[in-house]
Amino acid sequence: MTVPIIRRLAALRAKQSDWTRAGEKVGVVPTMGALHAGHLSLVEAAKAACDRVVVTIFVNPKQFNNPEDLANYPRTEHEDAIKLAPYGVDAIYVPDPDQIYPDGFASNVAVAGVADQMEGACRPGHFDGVATVVAKLFLQTGAHQAFFGEKDYQQLLVVRRMARDLDIPIEVVGCPTVREASGLAMSSRNLRLSAAGVKQAGMMHPILTSLAAELAAGGSFAPLGKQAEADILAAGFDEVEYLSLCSAVDLRALETAGGPDHPARLFVAAWLEGVRLIDNVAV
Amino acid sequence: MTVPIIRRLAALRAKQSDWTRAGEKVGVVPTMGALHAGHLSLVEAAKAACDRVVVTIFVNPKQFNNPEDLANYPRTEHEDAIKLAPYGVDAIYVPDPDQIYPDGFASNVAVAGVADQMEGACRPGHFDGVATVVAKLFLQTGAHQAFFGEKDYQQLLVVRRMARDLDIPIEVVGCPTVREASGLAMSSRNLRLSAAGVKQAGMMHPILTSLAAELAAGGSFAPLGKQAEADILAAGFDEVEYLSLCSAVDLRALETAGGPDHPARLFVAAWLEGVRLIDNVAV
């Protein structure tokens, strides 16, 4: 079964309006395409929870702080549609660029607090771009639920905060990170690694989970984090951009894991073969 | 007939959901209270165009750059409710502050371009506050049309741009400025003028309309505007903060009125008795 591809907002709104009139619950899975098993797990979660599911594919220039990263970002619309076919989604929304940023577009949605550190600090403007485009996609699709992966955990918190703050009537659902057998978090950027790079990148997750276990046992982050950074570099990574222990609720930096009432999370960004990879695990 | 006052978002959403299910068209008139004939003309326009009308009253701290102005802003909820009673509006939404800015609120909506000059330049953060709270009120009420006065013409353009850019499915309707017999634009801030001040303030509009006529006849703004500024000061104003000739479409500064294809507008902000008054007229 081929899924209809919609490129114009008016056509999307027409569908959405039929669904809403019928009292159907609509779910949206916002993506930038280059779909992998992680995205498909979000589609499965949406299908299980909603009557109608829209997958959006839009490589959003506003959230790329690095023009080279934008240029290199994989665009695989045909393959994406084939991958989605078995899931019975109701529409793939691949908006023409003027449906998102028409002439004269001048607005920006910014989220303070959870967007300030880590990805927000390393990629200036990134979360403004994310919050702005996701607000638009939420309002364009009129969805009742949106599904995001915990692989981009900070993004999940930013998007959830934005939707609550602007009173967009949508529930933001976080779904577990999907990993390769090695533990490597699925990411469209993995496509840019060599076979050797994929193998080296697979070392990241065991290092993180072992660090998380030591922290959960009461260890202090300063020395343990330093050792883990050394381990990541020894595994073949070129640079660790950050390795942070943060509150899972508000992303404040922590020195020790805070116990069950104050869940903590480990976050990492590191470079390998010119590719920037991120991951995070619960402590 | 007393109009129900709603203070909690959940109660507002319940009403809105009933109305939407019944296929009714909802209009919203966002105000900061201290209602005068200008606001009531917006209510009339909303009543004429919509099945259901919600008037919101919220003195939004985020759009006051001056704490003294915020402290002095008149709060007259009881009188406002009495004034609205004859109009048959369906609800007055006077949100408790935590319904607009709950703990942890961290988002900001900014509009570039039309928000940069005049009020945007003189009142830093003002239009961010306006765009953010109005986005929330649009989404909280779920209204199909919103009614704003041309007295705050720049605000009208900022709000319209914001709603289009974020794809909020609402039409922003501009309504003509309502004036005292003298020509003084109705404003809640007029309440802070003495009787003599009100009389002096009434000189502003004739000066503006006469300047507009000279510009429409082909005059150049630089000398004519300088003379009009002198006239405003001679009428008793203490300071002219700006007097600008701008495109009515994108607020770009103009040196001459642009003809019918490029409508122009005159904008003024001036101080009298410690009160900041603004006005604008078509050229």
Side-chain angles (χ1 to χ4, degrees):
Chain A
M1 188 184 75
T2 344
V3 188
I5 293 186
I6 297 179
R7 300 188 192 278
R8 310 297 293 174
L9 175 56
L12 179 68
R13 287 230 201 264
K15 264 194 195 285
Q16 175 221 323
S17 154
D18 289 348
W19 296 336
T20 306
R21 224 190 323 271
E24 292 175 317
K25 184 171 169 185
V26 179
V28 63
V29 180
T31 82
M32 299 206 300
L35 302 184
H36 50 63
H39 298 110
L40 298 174
S41 77
L42 302 177
V43 173
E44 275 179 357
K47 283 294 293 180
C50 299
D51 303 309
R52 300 289 182 171
V53 173
V54 179
V55 175
T56 71
I57 298 180
F58 182 66
V59 181
N60 174 34
K62 279 204 199 299
Q63 75 190 68
F64 284 83
N65 56 310
N66 177 344
E68 202 187 334
D69 191 27
L70 173 60
N72 289 337
Y73 204 87
R75 282 146 175 101
T76 58
E77 180 183 315
H78 182 68
E79 293 84 340
D80 291 343
I82 292 171
K83 285 180 191 161
L84 287 171
Y87 289 86
V89 306
D90 297 278
I92 307 178
Y93 180 49
V94 190
D96 292 335
D98 71 343
Q99 302 296 285
I100 300 291
Y101 301 122
D103 278 354
F105 182 90
S107 298
N108 185 61
V109 179
V111 178
V114 289
D116 290 340
Q117 56 283 72
M118 298 192 288
E119 294 302 288
C122 294
R123 305 181 63 190
H126 168 64
F127 280 130
D128 284 14
V130 169
T132 303
V133 83
V134 171
K136 289 176 62 71
L137 291 171
F138 284 1
L139 288 161
Q140 289 194 350
T141 58
H144 304 92
Q145 286 192 314
F147 298 81
F148 287 84
E150 289 185 343
K151 193 266 193 170
D152 296 291
Y153 190 90
Q154 189 177 11
Q155 168 178 274
L156 171 65
L157 293 194
V158 168
V159 163
R160 188 175 277 153
R161 182 82 254 166
M162 176 279 294
R164 280 187 194 164
D165 283 353
L166 298 188
D167 302 295
I168 301 177
I170 195 169
E171 183 194 356
V172 176
V173 181
C175 301
T177 303
V178 177
R179 301 179 179 281
E180 308 282 359
S182 67
L184 175 62
M186 300 268 184
S187 165
S188 307
R189 290 191 176 83
N190 295 351
L191 293 175
R192 285 151 57 192
L193 295 173
S194 71
V198 168
K199 206 165 166 192
Q200 290 171 313
M203 298 297 294
M204 171 75 85
H205 188 243
I207 295 171
L208 278 188
T209 48
S210 133
L211 171 57
E214 292 174 298
L215 290 165
S220 170
F221 179 65
L224 292 172
K226 193 160 285 181
Q227 181 56 53
E229 279 196 37
D231 294 345
I232 293 167
L233 295 172
F237 280 83
D238 301 310
E239 187 198 333
V240 177
E241 201 163 321
Y242 60 77
L243 174 65
S244 306
L245 178 68
C246 298
S247 155
V249 177
D250 60 17
L251 300 188
R252 259 178 301 190
L254 300 175
E255 183 40 38
T256 54
D261 295 346
H262 300 281
R265 221 165 164 98
L266 270 174
F267 296 84
V268 68
W271 290 83
L272 179 64
E273 296 182 342
V275 181
R276 187 174 181 279
L277 300 174
I278 64 172
D279 200 356
N280 68 89
V281 298
V283 174
Chain B
M1 188 185 75
T2 342
V3 188
I5 294 185
I6 296 178
R7 300 187 192 278
R8 309 298 293 174
L9 175 56
L12 178 69
R13 287 230 201 263
K15 264 194 196 285
Q16 174 222 323
S17 154
D18 288 347
W19 297 337
T20 305
R21 225 192 320 270
E24 293 175 318
K25 184 173 168 185
V26 179
V28 64
V29 181
T31 81
M32 299 207 298
L35 302 184
H36 51 63
H39 298 109
L40 298 174
S41 77
L42 302 177
V43 173
E44 275 179 356
K47 283 293 294 180
C50 300
D51 303 307
R52 299 289 182 172
V53 173
V54 179
V55 176
T56 71
I57 299 180
F58 182 66
V59 181
N60 173 34
K62 280 204 198 301
Q63 74 189 71
F64 284 83
N65 55 310
N66 176 341
E68 203 186 334
D69 190 28
L70 173 60
N72 289 336
Y73 204 87
R75 279 142 173 109
T76 58
E77 180 183 315
H78 183 67
E79 293 84 339
D80 292 343
I82 291 171
K83 284 180 192 161
L84 288 170
Y87 289 86
V89 307
D90 297 277
I92 307 177
Y93 180 50
V94 190
D96 293 334
D98 71 344
Q99 302 296 284
I100 300 292
Y101 301 122
D103 278 353
F105 182 90
S107 297
N108 186 60
V109 179
V111 179
V114 289
D116 290 340
Q117 58 282 74
M118 298 194 289
E119 294 302 289
C122 295
R123 305 179 63 190
H126 169 63
F127 280 130
D128 283 14
V130 169
T132 304
V133 83
V134 171
K136 288 176 62 71
L137 291 170
F138 284 1
L139 288 160
Q140 289 194 349
T141 59
H144 304 92
Q145 285 192 314
F147 298 81
F148 287 85
E150 288 184 344
K151 193 264 191 172
D152 296 292
Y153 190 90
Q154 188 177 10
Q155 169 178 274
L156 171 64
L157 294 194
V158 169
V159 164
R160 188 175 278 152
R161 183 81 253 165
M162 175 280 294
R164 280 186 194 164
D165 284 353
L166 297 189
D167 302 295
I168 301 177
I170 194 168
E171 184 194 355
V172 176
V173 181
C175 301
T177 303
V178 178
R179 299 180 180 281
E180 308 282 358
S182 67
L184 175 62
M186 299 268 185
S187 165
S188 308
R189 290 191 177 82
N190 295 352
L191 294 174
R192 283 152 56 190
L193 295 173
S194 71
V198 168
K199 208 166 165 190
Q200 291 171 312
M203 299 296 293
M204 171 74 85
H205 187 242
I207 295 171
L208 278 188
T209 50
S210 135
L211 171 57
E214 293 174 299
L215 291 165
S220 170
F221 179 66
L224 292 171
K226 194 160 286 184
Q227 181 56 52
E229 279 197 36
D231 295 345
I232 292 167
L233 294 172
F237 279 82
D238 301 310
E239 185 197 335
V240 177
E241 201 162 322
Y242 60 77
L243 174 65
S244 307
L245 178 68
C246 298
S247 156
V249 177
D250 60 16
L251 299 188
R252 259 178 300 191
L254 300 175
E255 183 40 38
T256 55
D261 294 345
H262 301 280
R265 221 166 164 100
L266 270 173
F267 296 84
V268 67
W271 290 84
L272 179 64
E273 297 183 338
V275 182
R276 188 173 181 278
L277 300 173
I278 64 171
D279 200 355
N280 67 90
V281 298
V283 174

